[in-house]
Amino acid sequence: MRVQLKGLMKIPLIALSLSVFSQACHAEDADYAAEGERRAKVAGESLLGAPAPNIKIKDIDGGTIDLAQIYGEKPVYLKFWATWCGPCREQMQGFEEIYKKYGDKIQVVAINTGISDSLESVTAFRKKVGLTMPITIDNGELARAFQLRVTPQHVLIDKKGQFAYFGHKDDLALHQALDNVVAEKPAGKPLNNPDLALKDDGYQKGDTAQDISFSTIDEQSFNVRFNTSNSKKVAVVFFAPWCEWYLEETEPRTSKACTQVRELLESKSKSTDVQWVTVSSNLWTSAADLKDYRKSYAATPPIVFDDDGELFKQFGVNQIPTITVIEPNGVISLKSSIQDEDFEAALHTLSSFK
């Protein structure tokens, strides 16, 4: 993902005619759309035909959508998106048209990922674009339940309460899938869809972490043991390899924070008193992307790919970057993300490590 875009950006624009540059941009967009579709299909492959989880979704206007009450009666269309996501912005007007077209025939929910977004940014975007469908802001729970891997990501659940479609593009296949689930006869009740286990908040400041074992992108073990004579302070940084360059224009504050954290890690990574490890989001990311990232940025700290999202869940993380510091006795002494007021203080704390 990053290599292709950066390769294009490195070409001096003066050397490209406007037509050639336009063609290159369209080709780049087509490549990303195809790759996004592939990743969405792979993410949902194991779920197709399986019963979707029962879950209550609270929207930003105070309403509650109980999917358990909808399954069996009408289909559900969930669309994951973010205000900073280029393809999401392009699709949102069409998304509103879909919502108006099908009306009460399908339950539509716009799920903002919550990553580098807030109630303020989401409501401002809603007003600007003119969205009228229910909107919720995720804390990571829905992303894990519905296998979020790209933005935008479409998830269709049919009238039997089963996963019927995963995709990324707003294309003929999506619209055909919508027509198909709407045309089905209601399955009726009762259904035996599983309840989604309630999510705790993961590790918070003051909690005691259990011993943990990581596997890096090079398949090397990175084991952390607390309360031993050899235990060290551990700094875990949660990030995404696209954060710096992709968000540079659409979400510059987060982009800058990702750069600050990466540069700080590089300056401190040779410390003998602290164990450093970086954990990558699975959104728009693969192990190959992380290896490209490491090469491009000459990153030296160990990199762990959280392919299934379990580490983000265990540590209660849904923002990038997020910094967590664990003391030798296992106590979480610091946890801060770009969304927290103490983030600059957290960076200062890390810079003081020897």
Side-chain angles (χ1 to χ4, degrees), residues 90-108:
E90 293 172 2
Q91 290 187 17
M92 277 317 211
Q93 193 57 56
F95 186 36
E96 176 67 16
E97 291 171 3
I98 288 172
Y99 176 61
K100 290 179 177 178
K101 172 184 176 181
Y102 290 102
D104 194 49
K105 295 179 181 178
I106 188 168
Q107 177 64 62
V108 173

Side-chain angles (χ1 to χ4, degrees), residues 68-254:
Q69 298 302 313
I70 297 169
Y71 296 155
E73 301 297 331
K74 61 182 178 180
V76 176
Y77 175 21
L78 307 175
K79 183 186 181 86
F80 287 88
W81 64 287
T83 64
W84 42 260
C85 161
C88 300
R89 293 179 176 184
E90 293 172 2
Q91 290 187 17
M92 277 317 211
Q93 193 57 56
F95 186 36
E96 176 67 16
E97 291 171 3
I98 288 172
Y99 176 61
K100 290 179 177 178
K101 172 184 176 181
Y102 290 102
D104 194 49
K105 295 179 181 178
I106 188 168
Q107 177 64 62
V108 173
V109 185
I111 304 176
N112 181 275
T113 66
I115 300 172
S116 291
D117 262 323
S118 64
L119 180 60
E120 291 73 22
S121 65
V122 171
T123 53
F125 184 89
R126 174 174 69 173
K127 181 178 180 181
K128 179 180 179 180
V129 179
L131 302 179
T132 59
M133 77 283 292
I135 298 175
T136 189
I137 300 176
D138 191 23
N139 62 359
E141 182 179 64
L142 298 176
R144 284 183 283 271
F146 297 105
Q147 295 282 64
L148 178 64
R149 291 296 182 272
V150 295
T151 52
Q153 182 164 306
H154 316 288
V155 180
L156 292 186
I157 301 165
D158 62 23
K159 291 180 182 177
K160 298 186 293 294
Q162 298 176 352
F163 287 107
Y165 182 87
F166 285 77
H168 168 72
K169 295 191 286 187
D170 181 359
D171 59 4
L172 181 61
L174 170 65
H175 289 262
Q176 184 62 59
L178 284 163
D179 286 340
N180 290 343
V181 295
V182 168
E184 290 179 335
K185 293 183 179 180
K189 304 286 186 176
L191 298 177
N192 296 314
N193 291 51
D195 292 329
L196 184 67
L198 294 177
K199 171 186 175 294
D200 60 29
D201 293 329
Y203 289 139
Q204 301 299 316
K205 185 176 178 179
D207 290 346
T208 300
Q210 299 178 349
D211 293 346
I212 47 181
S213 296
F214 301 112
S215 180
T216 71
I217 57 174
D218 301 307
E219 299 183 355
Q220 299 296 314
S221 295
F222 187 91
N223 301 313
V224 179
R225 301 289 179 263
F226 302 111
N227 277 317
T228 73
S229 58
N230 297 321
S231 295
K232 295 181 179 181
K233 189 188 300 286
V234 179
V236 185
V237 174
F238 294 84
F239 79 110
W242 42 263
C243 176
E244 295 183 55
W245 65 268
Y246 187 79
L247 299 183
E248 189 172 5
E249 294 184 4
T250 56
E251 186 54 41
R253 178 170 170 265
T254 302

Side-chain angles (χ1 to χ4, degrees), residues 312-329:
F312 271 68
K313 178 181 180 181
Q314 181 180 356
F315 281 81
V317 172
N318 193 46
Q319 298 298 327
I320 52 171
T322 293
I323 301 166
T324 302
V325 175
I326 312 171
E327 297 300 320
N329 63 359

